[in-house]
Amino acid sequence: MGRKGEETRARLLDATRELIESGGYFGAGLNQVVAASGAPRGSLYFHFPGGKDQLVGESVRRAGHEVGLIVRELAESAPDATTLVTGMLALLGDRLEASGWRRGCPVATVALEMAAVSDPLQEVCSEVYGSWEEALRHRLAADGHPEPADTAVTVLALVEGALLLARAHRSREPLDRVARGVVALLRP
């Protein structure tokens, strides 16, 4: 695929991500994706012959990878897991607030709407969450936490819940509360 094809594909994925983050799987209709991306309709079927589930799956995987990079960078630079998680909450909160409370987790809405009915989308969501969980687990293990796997799942659930509540309340308060809770949870 040439550069122009790669750019068109990226525009389709970016448009899909924006639409699913703000309106979920069902808010990302193919007509909306084409309109938001500015790509020709034929490009959609050329780049994603598997249809909407392939497009959404690749968009979720790509967005998850981007968030995963942020988590891994924070994990490498933070002096401890507490700083990592509070940093994640701050960055995700900044992103959510800057979007007018529209852009929460790039995976959660698709997981809630589609994981029970679409095996391919469930697998992508599980893969993304698993990669985030792994980064947290490694950091917790490096800090000497006695149950890094259980704690990583707990922390990830707290982060996801905080994003959902912040979006519902249009307030950073749930994120701030969870940050304080994480400090207490991870305290040695």
Side-chain angles (χ1 to χ4, degrees), residues 1-72:
M1 177 178 358
R3 195 184 94 204
K4 184 173 175 151
E6 289 175 12
E7 289 172 1
T8 299
R9 189 174 202 287
R11 284 197 335 260
L12 288 163
L13 289 169
D14 290 343
T16 302
R17 176 183 178 170
E18 290 291 325
L19 289 166
I20 61 175
E21 280 194 60
S22 63
Y25 178 88
F26 298 105
L30 296 180
N31 289 334
Q32 289 90 346
V33 170
V34 168
S37 69
R41 189 166 197 56
S43 293
L44 181 67
Y45 299 107
F46 174 78
H47 291 290
F48 304 98
K52 183 175 178 178
D53 280 2
Q54 180 188 5
L55 174 66
V56 170
E58 289 189 35
S59 179
V60 167
R61 184 176 284 119
R62 186 174 179 212
H65 179 72
E66 290 172 13
V67 172
L69 285 175
I70 292 168
V71 172
R72 284 188 291 283

Side-chain angles (χ1 to χ4, degrees), residues 25-26 52-53 56 109-125:
Y25 178 88
F26 298 105
K52 183 175 178 178
D53 280 2
V56 170
T109 305
V110 173
L112 288 169
E113 292 178 341
M114 299 303 296
V117 296
S118 171
D119 290 342
L121 290 176
Q122 176 275 323
E123 289 169 10
V124 169
C125 293

